[in-house]
Amino acid sequence: MTGLIACAHAPRTDEPPGPDAQLNALLNEDYAFTMQSYPTWASMLGERAYDTELTDNSPAGITARLKSTRARLERARSINAETLTDQGRTNLALLIYELSESLRSSTYHREQIPITQMGGPHTSLPQLGDRLTFTTDKHLSDYLERLKKIPGYLDQAMKNMKAGLAAHNTPPQIVMAGVVEQLRAQTKADYKADPTEHPLFKPYSESSPQSPLVSATISVIRDEILPAFERLAAFTEDTYIPGCRKSIGASDGPGGIEYYNFRLAHYTTLPLSAQEIHDTGLAEVTRIRQEMMDTIKRSDFPKKSEL
């Protein structure tokens, strides 16, 4: 996924008109757009309308999402907060913050770094069978349609990685350690011999072997998904990792210290510099240590004089 996918409170659609009606309509629209844009997340939340889909991370798909995000942000900013309820003002502020963060995040092209040892399609996709519920025949048939889109999804990830290499927008080599092994784990010989052993097959584990869905899923995993993972693994090992930067600092990427400060603000939600955060940490260590020493002096802790 690219950018931020959080969304402000989406109100109930059956609420009577009121001072927040315009905002609530926009919040509902934003929620629906988020579900459509990130369909696997929607499925995990129980929004099953997009069960056949995967996120479109093509340039056209990303451009369309950004265009929609800008339009919703403009509409949000046009709402007069003074006319809203207290909850409405909070929701409006959150919506403007989240849409603004998403647009700013997009300038750093996070889609160009879709894979690290911490996550990516090589770890998230094989977990779909465990993260979703399958209680109807439609759930199972929709899942097969989603599986058919995985090869294209993986190929798109590889295209974005190539774009990242060209832009020198890559993770440090050190954080890619183990990624090739993670990718190869999806193409083990056992899976090629028997695709029903692959994690992606799990939702059909109790289905009849004669089911058309089962035979179709076996073919998709064996003939399309496994080769796609193999292509991605080979590219990652032979081209991508050798081309990743050797420096480890976040500020060493194309976004420089501006990107580093953006991520600090994103994770802390505070207007603090890196130095201020570092100084706060040192001050807290000193404070906590002093509290420890004061407690030790009041106790019979052994060998306290050696501390």
Side-chain angles (χ1 to χ4, degrees), residues 142-161:
D142 284 350
Y143 180 73
L144 174 58
E145 294 307 307
R146 177 175 271 165
L147 292 185
K148 292 177 181 178
K149 295 184 171 92
I150 287 180
Y153 186 76
L154 295 178
D155 288 344
Q156 185 61 65
M158 189 160 59
K159 290 179 181 178
N160 286 331
M161 292 161 76

Side-chain angles (χ1 to χ4, degrees), residues 267-279:
Y267 284 112
T268 66
T269 68
L270 298 172
L272 299 176
S273 68
Q275 188 62 52
E276 288 172 319
I277 293 173
H278 180 68
D279 291 343

Side-chain angles (χ1 to χ4, degrees), residues 272-291:
L272 299 176
S273 68
Q275 188 62 52
E276 288 172 319
I277 293 173
H278 180 68
D279 291 343
T280 298
L282 293 178
E284 283 297 288
V285 169
T286 300
R287 181 186 65 80
I288 294 170
R289 181 174 179 79
Q290 186 58 54
E291 287 186 5

Side-chain angles (χ1 to χ4, degrees), residues 1-3 56-59 62 65-66 105-116 119-121 153-172 175-176 232 235-236 240-241 243-245 253-255 259:
M1 293 183 281
T2 60
D56 180 4
N57 284 324
S58 68
I62 293 170
R65 285 197 297 273
L66 292 176
S105 179
S106 71
T107 65
Y108 299 110
H109 296 286
R110 298 303 297 166
E111 77 278 359
Q112 293 178 352
I113 307 179
I115 291 177
T116 68
Y153 186 76
L154 295 178
D155 288 344
Q156 185 61 65
M158 189 160 59
K159 290 179 181 178
N160 286 331
M161 292 161 76
K162 290 178 180 178
L165 286 174
H168 305 291
N169 184 23
T170 70
V175 304
M176 295 298 291
L232 183 56
F235 168 75
T236 301
Y240 189 68
I241 293 179
C244 287
R245 60 185 172 91
Y259 171 70

Side-chain angles (χ1 to χ4, degrees), residues 127-200:
Q127 296 180 51
L128 283 177
D130 290 316
R131 291 184 171 183
L132 305 180
T133 57
F134 299 88
T135 57
T136 69
D137 291 340
K138 188 175 189 310
H139 288 162
L140 292 173
S141 60
D142 284 350
Y143 180 73
L144 174 58
E145 294 307 307
R146 177 175 271 165
L147 292 185
K148 292 177 181 178
K149 295 184 171 92
I150 287 180
Y153 186 76
L154 295 178
D155 288 344
Q156 185 61 65
M158 189 160 59
K159 290 179 181 178
N160 286 331
M161 292 161 76
K162 290 178 180 178
L165 286 174
H168 305 291
N169 184 23
T170 70
Q173 283 186 353
I174 193 171
V175 304
M176 295 298 291
V179 170
V180 173
E181 289 76 8
Q182 291 172 338
L183 285 163
R184 298 290 186 197
Q186 299 306 318
T187 61
K188 294 190 300 185
D190 290 349
Y191 297 153
K192 296 177 182 179
D194 184 4
T196 66
E197 294 295 315
H198 197 281
L200 287 169

